[in-house]
């Protein structure tokens, strides 16, 4: 079963780099196979930037990353919620998700996993369940935030898809300069290799199965 054939896919990111880190190779495959691909970001995390950088720096890095995927800007949706404060705006987040549902009509949605402990990620996960009851919903993994992660769906990705993921992540120079280890290609390839072994292919990305509508 190819979930991507004829799909209208929506990728949800609490922060600007979450989709690329959690399922960036899957995004590259979806761009090739899905009918439409939209990416929505809820916070450009201006408060987390190193001192001296303009407040829209991460937003610009996100757009540069999306250029690597060749996703047009009219398919990108960037909201300006304050980082680590999405729980104060749950209803607003839900209303934005509902508007995305009405505009895009996605039949497959990628969201942070239910076991992600980051407070912003929990909000996006929980509100996405309310907004997309009639869609297939898959939760992507960010291992540094997951104490529990049930890998129930595996998406095979090629070395080329991984190369796109690596190139896109290089756009986030402000984060790489912080020496965040999860940007390390060795870590990314290692996790994709582990998930590939579980699926019986060379590389894969794993997802929590939230809902499946076929």
């Amino acid at each position: 079963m190819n979930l991507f054939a004829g799909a209208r896919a929506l990728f949800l990111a609490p922060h600007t780099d979450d989709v690329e880190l959690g399922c960036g190779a899957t995004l590259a495959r979806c761009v090739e196979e899905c009918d439409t691909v939209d990416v929505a970001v809820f916070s450009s995390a201006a408060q987390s930037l190193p001192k001296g950088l303009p407040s829209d720096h991460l937003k610009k890095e996100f757009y540069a990353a999306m250029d690597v995927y060749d996703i047009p800007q009219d398919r990108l949706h960037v909201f300006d919620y304050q980082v680590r404060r999405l729980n104060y705006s749950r209803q607003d987040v839900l209303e934005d998700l509902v508007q995305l549902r009405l505009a895009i009509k996605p039949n497959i949605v990628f969201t942070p996993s239910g076991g992600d402990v980051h407070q912003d990620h929990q909000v996006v996960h929980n509100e996405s369940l309310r907004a997309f009851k009639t869609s297939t919903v898959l939760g992507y993994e960010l291992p540094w935030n997951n104490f529990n992660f049930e890998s129930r769906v595996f998406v095979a990705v090629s070395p080329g898809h991984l190369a796109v993921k690596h190139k896109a992540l290089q756009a986030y120079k402000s984060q790489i300069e912080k020496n965040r280890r999860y940007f390390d290609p060795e870590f990314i390839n290692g996790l994709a290799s582990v998930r590939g072994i579980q699926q019986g292919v060379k590389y894969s990305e794993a997802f929590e199965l939230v809902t499946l509508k076929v």
Side-chain angles (χ1 to χ4, degrees):
M1 178 174 63
N2 184 352
L3 291 175
F4 296 160
R8 297 180 302 277
L10 173 61
F11 291 76
L12 301 177
H15 312 113
T16 44
D17 55 10
D18 288 327
V19 159
E20 297 93 313
L21 288 165
C23 54
T26 297
L27 176 59
R29 177 177 167 181
C30 192
V31 167
E32 293 178 353
E33 300 180 17
C34 294
D35 275 7
T36 62
V37 177
D38 286 74
V39 182
V41 173
F42 286 85
S43 176
S44 56
Q47 296 80 11
S48 298
L49 282 166
K51 290 182 179 180
L53 291 179
S55 61
D56 64 347
H57 190 83
L58 270 168
K59 187 182 296 187
K60 290 179 178 178
E61 289 182 336
F62 166 73
Y63 285 126
M66 291 300 102
D67 280 345
V68 175
Y69 289 99
D70 200 26
I71 299 175
Q73 287 207 9
D74 63 355
R75 291 288 181 179
L76 305 176
H77 316 271
V78 182
F79 303 97
D80 287 316
Y81 291 97
Q82 188 175 354
V83 66
R84 293 184 294 277
R85 294 291 186 273
L86 263 64
N87 55 316
Y88 294 104
S89 305
R90 295 181 69 99
Q91 186 60 34
D92 292 330
V93 170
L94 175 59
E95 290 175 7
D96 286 332
L97 289 168
V98 169
Q99 290 305 310
L100 289 170
R101 184 193 72 208
L102 295 173
I104 299 166
K105 298 179 175 58
N107 47 22
I108 183 167
V109 177
F110 296 85
T111 193
S113 72
D116 193 314
V117 299
H118 192 292
Q119 62 268 46
D120 288 348
H121 297 202
Q122 291 175 356
V123 170
V124 173
H125 173 86
N126 289 330
E127 299 311 319
S128 67
L129 302 189
R130 296 180 175 90
F132 301 105
K133 295 176 183 177
T134 59
S135 301
T136 290
V137 179
L138 302 179
Y140 55 82
E141 68 173 327
L142 297 167
W144 49 97
N145 288 341
N146 290 120
F147 292 114
N148 296 301
F149 180 79
E150 292 192 7
S151 50
R152 290 290 184 264
V153 177
F154 296 86
V155 175
V157 295
S158 69
H161 297 142
L162 273 178
V164 173
K165 176 174 181 171
H166 289 306
K167 185 176 180 181
L169 286 171
Q170 290 304 304
Y172 291 101
K173 293 181 173 56
S174 65
Q175 304 306 296
I176 294 171
E177 289 172 0
K178 292 183 176 182
N179 295 316
R180 300 192 184 281
R181 293 182 61 194
Y182 42 78
F183 276 83
D184 188 335
E186 184 177 356
F187 166 75
I188 293 168
N189 287 347
L191 181 59
S193 181
V194 169
R195 295 312 191 190
I197 288 171
Q198 291 177 301
Q199 187 181 0
V201 298
K202 186 173 179 62
Y203 295 120
S204 181
E205 288 183 327
F207 298 87
E208 170 189 78
L209 178 59
V210 182
T211 59
L212 178 62
K213 305 294 175 67
V214 294

